[in-house]
Amino acid sequence: MFSSVVRLDEAEAGIFQITMEDRANRNMFSGELIAGLRSAFAEIDANPDGKAVILTGYDSYFASGGTRESLLSLHEGRARFTDLDVYSLALNCKIPVISAMQGHGIGGGFVLGLFSDIVILSLESVYNTNFMKYGFTPGFGSTLIVPRKLGMSLAQEMLLSAGSYRGAELQKRGVPFPVLPRNEVLEHAYGVARQLAEKPRISLITLKDHLTASLRRELPEVVQQELDMHTKTFFQDEVRDRIMNLFGN
């Protein structure tokens, strides 16, 4: 047990599994979950033998984004989403990260998974970028990573409408990821991880660094643009009302 809500296991030689299991908060970004994720990725980066990471959730939840309290802190100007940079942990990890999104990916939770190098979705689960549901513009680097991973047309629809999509629907819409029955997602992730683990570590690190260079270069500017939009959209009374009345619905 790595922490009370995040487990880190070296499941096989060179393959780490990070399991998010904050059942009390349905894997929302509680302080404990964020701290556990940051510590887990730091430990992996310090390990000289790692070759692949599998990031997954529990039961029907992958990750569910910000808590109501954290959204209210943003609305009140007491915090910014950049204060604890959780969204780019997978991007900045030295070795490849596979998001085995066996469960629902909600808002920032879905974005967290998209920042991985390889993404696997489940047919049954719900995925969305629900920021605009609460009346504020998207954050977490979502305006960069969602179009990059899903394509501009689908990304614009998801970001603007804040609609929810089953994995089966996203599969029909042509998302470029495997979309499998929930009980097959983790097994498929291990198959991919074993393929990665056959390669030399230095080669994996070097290629990931090259493949993600443009994304890491662009991300800070986009995040600043998202913060600028938040100064226009997050402090509306309607946003607070929506957070209080719609959260969890």
Side-chain angles (χ1 to χ4, degrees):
M1 181 69 71
F2 187 73
S3 82
S4 61
V5 297
V6 176
R7 290 202 315 273
L8 173 62
D9 302 292
E10 186 169 8
E12 300 179 14
I15 300 175
F16 292 93
Q17 180 175 327
I18 299 174
T19 306
M20 300 176 285
E21 194 171 352
D22 188 348
R23 291 178 178 269
N25 293 294
R26 294 176 295 176
N27 277 355
M28 294 179 201
F29 290 156
S30 63
E32 194 171 10
L33 185 72
I34 291 173
L37 284 171
R38 289 169 64 88
S39 296
F41 275 103
E43 186 162 322
I44 289 168
D45 272 344
N47 188 300
D49 300 317
K51 294 187 174 182
V53 182
I54 297 171
L55 177 64
T56 195
Y58 75 92
D59 297 348
S60 61
Y61 287 96
F62 175 72
S64 301
T67 64
R68 180 164 66 177
E69 291 72 23
S70 66
L71 295 183
L72 289 173
S73 293
L74 294 171
H75 166 73
E76 294 163 4
R78 294 185 285 112
R80 304 193 305 174
F81 71 81
T82 52
D83 291 345
L84 291 173
D85 179 0
V86 64
Y87 52 89
S88 63
L89 287 173
L91 174 67
N92 292 327
C93 184
K94 294 178 183 177
I95 57 178
V97 179
I98 304 162
S99 278
M101 299 176 70
Q102 89 306 328
H104 308 313
I106 307 300
F110 184 45
V111 176
L112 173 71
L114 292 182
F115 270 108
S116 293
D117 304 284
I118 297 169
V119 177
I120 307 164
L121 305 180
S122 89
L123 290 165
E124 305 95 322
S125 297
V126 169
Y127 305 100
N128 66 41
T129 54
N130 66 345
F131 306 93
M132 289 284 280
K133 171 183 175 182
Y134 302 104
F136 59 86
T137 48
F140 276 74
S142 58
T143 60
L144 176 62
I145 196 63
V146 179
R148 184 70 59 92
K149 289 297 182 75
L150 300 183
M152 182 58 75
S153 179
L154 178 57
Q156 286 184 313
E157 179 183 318
M158 290 187 76
L159 290 166
L160 285 166
S161 72
S164 294
Y165 302 74
R166 293 280 178 185
E169 182 179 356
L170 292 177
Q171 185 182 52
K172 292 178 181 178
R173 297 288 296 269
V175 294
F177 316 130
V179 185
L180 305 170
R182 178 173 293 146
N183 60 4
E184 297 179 13
V185 169
L186 191 58
E187 179 183 359
H188 184 81
Y190 269 95
V192 175
R194 292 180 187 116
Q195 288 182 313
L196 296 174
E198 295 172 354
K199 280 70 175 178
R201 172 179 160 87
I202 187 63
S203 300
L204 290 168
I205 291 173
T206 301
L207 182 56
K208 171 168 179 171
D209 188 57
H210 171 74
L211 291 173
T212 60
S214 63
L215 186 57
R216 286 185 282 107
R217 187 168 56 247
E218 294 172 46
L219 184 59
E221 181 179 354
V222 172
V223 165
Q224 184 57 56
Q225 292 169 350
E226 291 179 348
L227 289 171
D228 292 343
M229 288 192 291
H230 279 181
T231 65
K232 299 177 181 179
T233 65
F234 227 120
F235 306 125
Q236 304 173 79
D237 291 340
E238 183 181 351
V239 168
R240 178 179 177 82
D241 292 343
R242 283 172 175 261
I243 293 170
M244 295 300 295
N245 296 328
L246 299 177
F247 192 85
N249 295 330

